[in-house]
Amino acid sequence: FVQILAEESEDEPPSEEERAAEQLSERNVAGGNKKGAVPEETERNGQRDGEEAEPDQTPALNNKPRKKKKKRKTKKTSAGEILEDNDLEDIDSLLEKIEDTNGLSQQTQSGIIADSRPLLYVEHRNLNPENELKRYFGARAVLGDQRPRQRQRQYVRSTWLTAPKNTWPRYSKTGIAMQLLDTRRGVQYFTFEHHREYQQVQFKFLDAVESMDPNNIVLLLQMNPYHVDSLLQLSDVCRMQEDQEMARDLIERALYSLECTFHPVFSLTSGTCRLDYRRPENRAFFLALFKHLMFLEKRGCPRTALEFCKLILSLDPEDDPLGVLLLIDFLALRAREYTFLTRMFQEWESHRSLSLLPNFAFSVPLAYFFLSQQEERPELEQSQARERAAQLIRVALIRFPSVLMPLLDHCSVQPDARVTLHGFFGRSAQICQPPALSQLTALYVGRTHTLWKDPAVMAWLETNVREVLNMVDTDDPLVGESENKRMKRYQNAPRNIYRHVILSEMKEAMAALPLEVTSQPVMGFDPLPPLDPIISYTRPERTNHPSHESTLSLFFRSLLPNFNLQGDVRHDGEEEAGAGQDLNQGVNRLMAAMRDMLANIQFQEPPRDNNPEGDGDWD
């Protein structure tokens, strides 16, 4: 009887919703529906149970319910019954209720699973910026006429981090591999390895960097189009020349090259795979992810950038070599992922002391304030979030009073006379703070001041600033305690914070860097390398140092770049036996170079006198 009804439904497609409802009720009766007269959503669930028992009917029974437009209206009834009977007392009992009634099982279960996932869990669909742009502008505006072109494109390897482009060179093995080093307590430790061929290319790249000529890097990329460090360094050159499109394309190519070498067990989403930044082979992956993240944020894809930020943090959450904890709060606020930010603060505050960072001290109460403004939340949750936001922002203002005035200045807001004349938020608060705290403050204000320009946010901040001034005037013990801790801490910033400031290129924070950081050269492919690296291979020593050569040798080297007084020792790596033989060979080379130079010199005759206009050619 069910099969006959299924065939009738295929031959006669429904034209009205009443007719479809009658067919659904008949199928539920035939399928042994025990619930009797229930809402339309429950009838559909009974139909799905029947489909699981008879898979042959799936195509016929699945098409019609999907065309219904009243699904959401009836879904609220079943969901409301579940929540009212449960009152969210226990997660296990809630799961049992959901399993008993299939009304909202998939949606509710997915919400609970999302909360039970690890904090740094990464979703593949959120790594694609096109998915975020489609939500903003629609698929047609984002893709345009790309769909027919993709069908005719040649086969390329599917990747998650980036999508390969037709303009890229054909990919071949580069000489990079990933190895699994160890597995401890459910955490897997990986590392990239460079084969001998790639090591030789790496040595040529270092020579090209020392030459200070970007054309040498371009020539190297023509021979090795997927050399990662060359792509990173050339991307910085393009970005300095304001060629943002090419700079972003080179970073994406570097990520594609590294992803093609992943270990089969390496997972981007689990949050349990680790890479040690102390190994030089692993640093390129960290830097490529961070630079790609910055391009995504500028492109207007904060949700995708947040997912990449979580990925970087999951690779080394303990050491955080690139200091992404100074950035993740800003991306969470921009992406409106307030629940993620508050959850991270609750879970990590006990062992990481996130409240000691100015960015978390101010961003977390701002996230609670935005949660309190969401009208779809219950009134109790809104009031709790409002109280929590007020409590945390007052603690933040007491701990870091030097943030307020620069923040108001960037927001073009003039504070009232009481705030301006009060010494707690005055100029002395900025002058007396330690140097490391000045860098953190400048970094946070320069990056997140746009989030505080909302009039509602400013009104909320103004109210709490007045409350803090009242606490200061009444000599609250928290004020003195925070001042003592502030002067003892933040004397010297760790190296990863300096590295983050350099990569972020925030002008306010760059100006606060100490002299020992700004005086040393910083390379885009490896900014501020760790002081305790784990070296797997070393670069061969160069025996001919131009700085140790004589003045005459340097003069001829400037005229003839190929001239080498000491011989080409770099290639064969063998030393000559005897200083006399070295001297004779050097003199012979010098004489040969002089003869070659003199033979190539040609003197030009002056113009002839019979051509006074000077429109003739030189001989």
Side-chain angles (χ1 to χ4, degrees):
F1 183 74
V2 177
Q3 293 179 354
I4 294 175
L5 291 178
E7 292 176 359
E8 291 177 357
S9 63
E10 290 180 354
D11 297 336
E12 299 178 4
S15 59
E16 297 178 357
E17 296 180 356
E18 293 79 9
R19 185 175 181 180
E22 294 176 359
Q23 291 179 359
L24 283 174
S25 60
E26 291 175 0
R27 291 174 190 171
N28 289 330
V29 172
N33 189 4
K34 299 179 181 180
K35 295 184 180 180
V38 292
E40 183 182 354
E41 177 65 21
T42 312
E43 295 178 359
R44 294 174 186 166
N45 295 329
Q47 179 190 359
R48 291 173 186 169
D49 295 337
E51 289 174 5
E52 293 178 359
E54 298 179 8
D56 296 338
Q57 302 175 8
T58 303
L61 298 179
N62 270 345
N63 293 333
K64 282 189 174 181
R66 291 182 180 176
K67 296 181 181 179
K68 291 290 181 180
K69 297 184 179 179
K70 297 183 179 180
K71 186 175 181 180
R72 292 185 178 178
K73 296 181 180 180
T74 56
K75 187 182 293 185
K76 293 181 181 178
T77 305
S78 59
E81 294 175 357
I82 295 172
L83 295 178
E84 288 176 1
D85 296 339
N86 231 350
D87 287 336
L88 299 176
E89 294 177 355
D90 190 13
I91 295 180
D92 296 333
S93 61
L94 182 61
L95 286 174
E96 292 177 359
K97 289 280 186 180
I98 295 172
E99 291 177 357
D100 293 337
T101 59
N102 292 327
L104 198 60
S105 60
Q106 185 174 1
Q107 183 175 354
T108 311
Q109 256 186 332
S110 64
I112 295 175
I113 290 175
D115 294 338
S116 61
R117 289 172 178 173
L119 179 66
L120 300 180
Y121 181 83
V122 177
E123 297 184 15
H124 280 147
R125 60 187 179 89
N126 290 331
L127 293 174
N128 188 358
E130 289 188 355
N131 294 336
E132 185 174 3
L133 293 175
K134 289 176 186 177
R135 292 195 296 267
Y136 297 154
F137 308 106
R140 181 171 297 180
V142 175
L143 296 178
D145 57 346
Q146 294 181 8
R147 294 181 180 177
R149 294 182 181 179
Q150 290 180 356
R151 296 174 183 174
Q152 301 176 0
R153 189 179 66 181
Q154 59 181 357
Y155 173 77
V156 292
R157 181 172 179 175
S158 177
T159 54
W160 291 109
L161 298 179
T162 57
K165 301 179 181 179
N166 295 330
T167 57
W168 290 358
R170 184 178 183 85
Y171 178 80
S172 59
K173 291 186 177 180
T174 58
I176 304 180
M178 178 182 281
Q179 298 296 332
L180 176 62
L181 297 179
D182 192 10
T183 302
R184 297 191 302 268
R185 299 179 180 179
V187 179
Q188 298 171 326
Y189 296 86
F190 296 87
T191 183
F192 287 97
E193 290 184 352
H194 293 174
H195 296 165
R196 184 174 297 273
E197 298 81 6
Y198 194 89
Q199 293 179 13
Q200 299 299 323
V201 179
Q202 188 73 11
F203 299 151
K204 295 179 182 179
F205 165 73
L206 296 177
D207 294 339
V209 171
E210 292 180 355
S211 68
M212 306 298 291
D213 187 1
N215 294 324
N216 294 333
I217 303 178
V218 175
L219 294 176
L220 183 63
L221 277 177
Q222 291 178 356
M223 301 298 298
N224 307 274
Y226 286 95
H227 182 256
V228 180
D229 285 346
S230 298
L231 294 170
L232 295 179
Q233 189 69 25
L234 192 60
S235 174
D236 287 349
V237 175
C238 295
R239 187 169 46 81
M240 294 177 183
Q241 296 177 355
E242 298 183 358
D243 191 353
Q244 302 293 333
E245 188 67 25
M246 178 59 68
R248 187 181 67 184
D249 186 80
L250 294 173
I251 294 298
E252 293 179 357
R253 198 198 304 182
L255 283 176
Y256 176 74
S257 176
L258 291 171
E259 188 175 0
C260 290
T261 64
F262 280 176
H263 193 274
V265 187
F266 185 81
S267 174
L268 294 172
T269 61
S270 64
T272 59
C273 297
R274 302 288 186 265
L275 288 174
D276 195 345
Y277 192 80
R278 294 177 298 173
R279 297 180 180 271
E281 297 88 347
N282 298 337
R283 297 172 194 170
F285 188 53
F286 281 88
L287 295 171
L289 288 174
F290 188 89
K291 294 182 179 182
H292 184 59
L293 176 156
M294 299 302 293
F295 280 119
L296 289 173
E297 192 273 328
K298 295 178 181 177
R299 191 181 174 185
C301 301
R303 183 66 185 87
T304 310
L306 175 63
E307 212 70 11
F308 275 92
C309 192
K310 292 161 57 177
L311 174 58
I312 298 174
L313 188 59
S314 68
L315 296 176
D316 195 352
E318 297 299 329
D319 295 332
D320 189 16
L322 300 186
V324 293
L325 281 177
L326 303 175
L327 175 65
I328 194 169
D329 62 298
F330 168 69
L331 296 177
L333 290 175
R334 279 208 59 193
R336 299 182 180 180
E337 293 291 329
Y338 310 127
T339 306
F340 165 77
L341 183 57
T342 55
R343 179 192 172 191
M344 184 177 188
F345 182 76
Q346 294 172 2
E347 294 184 6
W348 284 31
E349 171 63 17
S350 58
H351 67 282
R352 296 297 294 269
S353 300
L354 297 180
S355 60
L356 298 180
L357 296 174
N359 58 312
F360 271 93
F362 281 88
S363 294
V364 172
L366 185 60
Y368 275 111
F369 174 76
F370 286 137
L371 287 175
S372 67
Q373 300 297 311
Q374 295 180 353
E375 298 179 355
E376 63 272 11
R377 291 185 172 272
E379 185 65 27
L380 179 60
E381 292 185 7
Q382 292 183 9
S383 61
Q384 292 177 352
R386 195 177 300 110
E387 293 176 1
R388 184 63 172 164
Q391 177 185 1
L392 291 177
I393 192 61
R394 293 170 189 174
V395 174
L397 290 170
I398 292 176
R399 287 184 177 179
F400 308 104
S402 60
V403 175
L404 179 63
M405 299 306 292
L407 181 62
L408 296 179
D409 186 29
H410 279 73
C411 296
S412 302
V413 175
Q414 180 67 30
D416 57 9
R418 183 185 179 190
V419 177
T420 305
L421 300 177
H422 204 284
F424 187 73
F425 292 116
R427 186 68 177 174
S428 59
Q430 304 177 27
I431 298 176
C432 300
Q433 65 179 349
L437 184 57
S438 300
Q439 299 162 13
L440 296 176
T441 300
L443 185 67
Y444 176 73
V445 172
R447 174 176 285 158
T448 61
H449 67 273
T450 55
L451 301 174
W452 294 82
K453 290 185 176 181
D454 189 1
V457 175
M458 274 296 165
W460 166 72
L461 179 62
E462 181 183 2
T463 303
N464 290 279
V465 167
R466 292 176 179 174
E467 292 295 332
V468 169
L469 290 180
N470 295 333
M471 296 173 63
V472 174
D473 294 338
T474 56
D475 295 333
D476 192 284
L478 181 60
V479 178
E481 181 183 353
S482 300
E483 184 178 0
N484 294 332
K485 292 181 179 180
R486 184 168 61 249
M487 299 308 297
K488 293 179 181 179
R489 299 166 179 168
Y490 312 105
Q491 295 300 325
N492 294 316
R495 198 171 180 84
N496 62 335
I497 291 183
Y498 294 148
R499 194 179 297 120
H500 176 84
V501 171
I502 292 174
L503 290 173
S504 301
E505 295 184 351
M506 299 292 300
K507 296 180 180 179
E508 298 85 353
M510 292 282 289
L513 286 175
L515 184 61
E516 60 267 16
V517 176
T518 57
S519 59
Q520 55 180 318
V522 177
M523 297 298 176
F525 68 95
D526 191 9
L528 293 182
L531 301 178
D532 54 343
I534 302 177
I535 304 297
S536 58
Y537 66 94
T538 57
R539 181 184 180 187
E541 296 183 358
R542 302 176 60 180
T543 56
N544 54 335
H545 300 284
S547 59
H548 296 163
E549 297 181 3
S550 62
T551 306
L552 184 62
S553 177
L554 292 175
F555 170 71
F556 281 101
R557 183 180 293 277
S558 64
L559 297 177
L560 303 172
N562 296 328
F563 170 70
N564 186 7
L565 181 62
Q566 299 178 356
D568 196 4
V569 190
R570 186 193 313 175
H571 297 285
D572 53 18
E574 300 177 355
E575 296 183 357
E576 304 280 346
Q581 186 176 1
D582 291 341
L583 180 60
N584 292 333
Q585 290 184 358
V587 172
N588 292 334
R589 290 192 181 92
L590 178 61
M591 297 302 296
M594 292 181 61
R595 286 194 296 268
D596 188 21
M597 182 183 67
L598 294 175
N600 293 331
I601 294 178
Q602 296 181 1
F603 297 96
Q604 295 180 348
E605 297 181 0
R608 300 177 182 178
D609 296 338
N610 55 2
N611 190 5
E613 287 84 4
D615 55 353
D617 297 333
W618 290 70
D619 292 338

